[in-house]
Amino acid sequence: MSDDIRRNMALFPIGIVMKLTELTARQIRYYEQHELIFPARTEGKQRLFSFNDVDRLLEIKALIEKGLNIAGIKQVMSLEQSEPVKTEITATSEQKRKELTDKELHQLLKQQVVNTGVSRTGDNALIRAELSRFFH
DNA sequence: CTTCTGACA
DNA sequence: TGTCAGGA
């Protein structure tokens, strides 16, 4: 797995990352404070980002744009790297939902969040209800 | 010139 | 989140 070291190899300063991710330095530093990313540091305290860090930032950016806050992103990202639960349960019904385990529910939430996005005005009842249960 | 931390008119 | 300060 020598490719892993390449991906986690700290290479670029925040300036490059800003252009690569379209995020402001403020946001990048903010996300780091909230442990969404952990860039390496030079002796002079300069942040050095790896390819993986950039990928994470892009995911974070996508989730932010879908209306999630730090808490929501943390959970969505920390859970299952894989996604066994397919679209079959996308249209979960009330009854079937009660049978789901918390793990499955989380995966389902991630899918819906990633595919649908969270409505800040609250028009998606199902997602709304579950988000309040897990993200609040 | 670029980045860093802390703070808030 | 933006932005400015003051230092590295």
Side-chain angles (χ1 to χ4, degrees), chain A residues 10-33 37 39-42 45-50 53-54 57:
Chain A
L11 299 176
F12 14 69
I14 199 167
I16 304 298
V17 179
M18 286 176 69
K19 296 178 180 179
L20 264 41
T21 65
E22 295 299 312
L23 290 171
T24 65
R26 179 80 165 77
Q27 291 178 296
I28 296 173
R29 290 169 184 145
Y30 183 74
Y31 302 151
E32 179 194 34
Q33 281 189 289
I37 54 173
R41 295 292 188 120
T42 64
K45 295 298 184 181
Q46 304 288 84
R47 266 168 276 252
L48 289 183
F49 302 77
S50 67
D53 290 326
V54 175
L57 282 172

